[in-house]
Amino acid sequence: MEPTAQTLARTYSDRVYTDPWEKVVDYRRVLDYAARNPNAGRTRVGNALDLLPSRVRGWLNSSVPDPARAVNTAAEQGWLDPDPSGEIAKALITLLAHVIAGGSISTETFVPAVATGRRVDVDEIRGAFTQLNVETTIRNAEVDGRATEVVPSKDASVLGRCLVAMGAPHGGKTRLDRLPPVVRDVPPAVRRSFVQTYLKHRALEQPNKATLQIKENRPEAYFEELQQLIRESANNGNVTRNGNMITISAEAARDLGVA
């Protein structure tokens, strides 16, 4: 299941390596060779591994490539290739829903931010980060005209890159043409959690009606998948679609806990 070490590494760009994962592999090869040959210098290591000594030198002197550092951090947190039925997978999927429906990931820094809403308060968003052992801070709480946002204060960029590897949009949310396939990799109960979080952010109440609607500027394929996912997650009620508008009946909304 995403994210994996490979897809996380590939969220980076590199001037030398076309595939940043290969940089992680070479870095690990250097460390392994040096551990087995502690007296070997950069030239010997480079020749043995067919790498430039200038590239090897920094790694032998404790320099860690950014992709390798990110992979190490994510592995320590248990975020890589999580068990789809486990708590980490559920926490990642829930946070993915928060970001897609009510947040963003910075184009330059990959830091995720999730905005509060009428149904989603600071404590709930902070709880989603806490499930992944990530501390948070509040942004824009006292700024007029700006939504209050919860942002991670620890391992922020690595977590954001993990979410991008899972299919979260990097930058504008309108770039998302389909629901991330990873949502289908988890059990129905976890998919239901994704749907509930999504609806808390995006579902709109209707005047004098108990039904809810979702209206977004996204491709039709996205709405087809979203409607199907909501319909499958609701044990009762109807979920219908008309173009880029999804209507959730009052019964379905109550069943999903978002009425």
Side-chain angles (χ1 to χ4, degrees):
M1 173 180 165
E2 297 289 358
T4 64
Q6 291 87 342
T7 54
L8 172 57
R10 287 167 183 151
T11 64
Y12 288 84
S13 58
D14 192 89
R15 291 177 297 177
V16 176
Y17 288 84
T18 303
D19 181 356
W21 170 246
E22 293 300 324
K23 190 171 191 175
V24 178
V25 172
D26 281 349
Y27 169 72
R28 291 176 172 178
R29 290 170 60 217
V30 167
L31 295 191
D32 179 67
Y33 186 90
R36 290 184 286 105
N37 301 274
N39 296 321
R42 60 178 181 174
T43 300
R44 178 180 168 187
V45 174
N47 289 340
L49 301 178
D50 195 25
L51 295 171
L52 293 175
S54 58
R55 188 175 308 159
V56 169
R57 177 178 57 187
W59 298 346
L60 291 175
N61 291 331
S62 301
S63 175
V64 183
D66 288 339
R69 182 181 292 107
V71 168
N72 291 342
T73 297
E76 290 170 2
Q77 291 281 26
W79 299 339
L80 297 181
D81 197 18
D83 176 1
S85 300
E87 291 301 314
I88 293 294
K90 181 179 180 180
L92 284 169
I93 288 291
T94 300
L95 185 57
L96 180 66
H98 276 297
V99 169
I100 292 175
S104 62
I105 296 178
S106 168
T107 302
E108 295 182 359
T109 64
F110 281 82
V111 173
V114 180
T116 59
R118 192 180 66 80
R119 297 187 188 90
V120 188
D121 60 17
V122 166
D123 288 341
E124 178 172 349
I125 299 170
R126 277 191 145 164
F129 283 103
T130 299
Q131 291 299 311
L132 294 166
N133 192 35
V134 173
E135 299 172 0
T136 55
T137 187
I138 307 301
R139 187 166 68 186
N140 300 330
E142 306 298 329
V143 180
D144 292 338
R146 297 287 299 276
T148 299
E149 293 180 317
V150 179
V151 296
S153 56
K154 170 190 173 187
D155 300 331
S157 177
V158 176
L159 179 57
R161 289 176 184 274
C162 283
L163 293 168
V164 169
M166 293 175 69
H170 179 212
K173 290 193 287 292
T174 55
R175 298 178 185 176
L176 200 61
D177 295 331
R178 310 290 292 261
L179 280 177
V182 71
V183 177
R184 288 291 181 185
D185 292 339
V186 294
V190 181
R191 294 200 296 269
R192 180 178 168 94
S193 177
F194 177 93
V195 166
Q196 290 171 318
T197 300
Y198 195 105
L199 293 179
K200 285 180 181 179
H201 281 285
R202 303 300 300 176
L204 303 173
E205 296 177 348
Q206 304 305 299
N208 304 316
K209 294 182 180 180
T211 58
L212 300 176
Q213 288 186 335
I214 299 175
K215 299 178 182 179
E216 299 181 39
N217 183 24
R218 297 189 192 267
E220 185 171 352
Y222 180 95
F223 271 89
E224 288 178 356
E225 293 177 355
L226 182 60
Q227 178 202 8
Q228 183 178 359
L229 191 66
I230 299 171
R231 181 189 293 157
E232 292 171 355
S233 299
N235 298 314
N236 299 290
N238 297 317
V239 180
T240 58
R241 182 177 67 88
N242 182 12
N244 66 341
M245 181 174 67
I246 295 174
T247 301
I248 300 106
S249 71
E251 187 177 11
R254 286 192 296 270
D255 179 82
L256 290 166
V258 292

